[in-house]
Amino acid sequence: MPVGSVLVTGGTGYIGSFTALALLEADYKVVIADNLYNSSQEAIRRIELICGKRPEFYNVDVTEPGSLDQIFEAHPDIDSVIHFAALKAVGESSEIPLEYYRTNVYGTICLLTSMTKYNVSNIVFSSSATVYGDATRFPNMIPIPEECPIGPTNPYGRTKSTIEACITDHVEAQRNNLKKQGKDGDHWNAALLRYFNPAGSHPSGVMGEDPQGVPYNLLPLLAQVAIGKKDKLLVFGDGRTAVSHSHGGPYATRFLTELTADYSSKDGTAIRDYIHILDLAQGHLVALNYLRDHHPGVRAWNLGTGKGSTVFHMIKAFSHAVGKELPYQVVGRRAGDVLDLTANPMRANMELGWKAQRSLEDACEDLWRWTRNNPQGYRQNPPQELLDK
Ligand code: NAD
Ligand code: WQD
């Protein structure tokens, strides 16, 4: 008997597929709804290769009203949803904001409408650290606690904060309506999971991030440099200040230019909190269990390690995993980037009993194993020796 049945929207994507795997490994039944806009069904096969169980898959667009009804009809045992389906490219969100609001916000409204119709009342939502915007505008807010006032700086982030508000209002309304009818309203619950920077792959080398287009995140770009698909990494900083560098160690890059970044960190590059994808997936599992066991209403949790790393530190760490120096060049700042997004994960540590277990080095090694074994991502089979393990 499964411990429960979960609908995972966006479940063939990067974080969704790892969460589906974690759920199956914890004996949940998993049904995935995804329109494959940024993923492929091969993710399902890889999940099955690792855990021997196959999630059920529906090719569904969450923005089509009622499109999820068929799933809830076919699976009346589903009592919870983990909602990943979204567009997520920050830069693109400034170019086509309406598409972002349509997919992310309207898609969530369609989902909540279907959930309400079928009395499915637990939702774990993929929010983002980006809702905080520039937390350095407040004193004592780095590392960032959930109490930090939100203030996203781009349309993508504003879709996430809008969805957080939308879910909060809907859950509260449902709880109140049910109570007025003399029914138990406590079973409507939502986890707003604010992820910091997901990183890495499955240690088997069989599952990893496989976006359909060109990556724009730091680690996937570094992986492309390592495998020769890109000639160098562009480090986003101001690029105007000339300094002499003293980056030591065996993997210090000899391509370090006379230009450097100008963020007020110790090496001038921006700071992020990189969290291993397996830890992030585990965070979803424990948040779901918490909703089902404790009925907290709506609660936000940061999922991060609490440890910030600069861009230069990441180049060094990934170069070490690869075993060679990776070229880069400091260029101008990227619009909308902030100095420091490091989580204070205490709330998730205390309430969910969750703590990131894996190191940055694990994430780099796993990403490199995935990249070198799957240079075409899910478009080619992994080497037989990985499958035999
Ligand atoms: P992803 O693009 O790999 O996964 C998103 C999935 O949603 C894809 O499989 C895509 O095909 C699907 N999808 C998109 N539009 C859809 C639609 N209309 N109907 C059905 N499916 C649709 O992205 P990811 O990195 O796995 O991110 C998952 C979630 O986590 C997103 O909501 C994202 O905003 C959020 N998030 C991601 C990060 C990150 O850095 N990756 C950080 C914080 C939050
Ligand atoms: C990390 C650091 C860049 C690329 C984004 C979204 C956020 C969340 C995670 C979804 C930054 C620097 C990057 C490059 C660089 N996603 N960088 N050269 O911007 O922290 O977060 O993904 O919710 O919402 O904004 O991640 O990986 O793009 O950048 O120097 O070519 O690497 O400036 O400091 P980011 P990232």
Side-chain angles (χ1 to χ4, degrees), residues 90 128 130 156 197 217-218 221 234-236 270 272 334 337:
V90 173
S128 169
T130 203
Y156 165 73
N197 290 53
N217 287 120
L218 179 63
L221 285 167
L234 300 180
V235 175
F236 300 137
R272 297 290 182 271
R334 187 171 62 176
D337 269 356

Side-chain angles (χ1 to χ4, degrees), residues 8-18 32-40 57-64 67-68 83-89 100 102-104 107 125-130 156 159-160 163 193-199 209-212 216-217 277 280 284:
V8 181
T9 75
T12 44
Y14 177 41
I15 309 171
S17 58
F18 279 85
I32 288 177
D34 199 304
N35 68 354
L36 304 179
Y37 174 80
N38 193 35
S39 54
S40 81
F57 175 73
Y58 287 79
N59 188 334
V60 158
D61 184 336
V62 295
T63 65
E64 278 173 27
S67 63
L68 297 169
H83 181 39
F84 295 100
L87 302 181
K88 62 160 184 174
Y100 274 68
R102 198 179 71 81
T103 302
N104 297 5
F125 170 60
S126 290
S127 189
S128 169
T130 203
Y156 165 73
T159 69
K160 292 290 175 187
I163 297 166
L193 300 184
R194 297 175 180 161
Y195 323 147
F196 284 68
N197 290 53
E209 184 171 11
D210 182 37
Q212 297 298 294
Y216 65 93
N217 287 120
I277 187 70
L280 189 57
H284 289 77

Side-chain angles (χ1 to χ4, degrees), residues 232-241 257 259-263 268-270 272 311-312 328-338:
K232 64 186 169 196
L233 179 85
L234 300 180
V235 175
F236 300 137
D238 182 282
R240 282 178 304 189
T241 324
T257 66
L259 298 176
T260 190
D262 70 336
Y263 286 102
T269 62
R272 297 290 182 271
V311 178
F312 281 154
Y328 65 85
Q329 180 191 353
V330 179
V331 295
R333 278 190 183 194
R334 187 171 62 176
D337 269 356
V338 299

Side-chain angles (χ1 to χ4, degrees), residues 119-131:
N119 291 319
V120 177
S121 53
N122 295 309
I123 178 166
V124 176
F125 170 60
S126 290
S127 189
S128 169
T130 203
V131 298

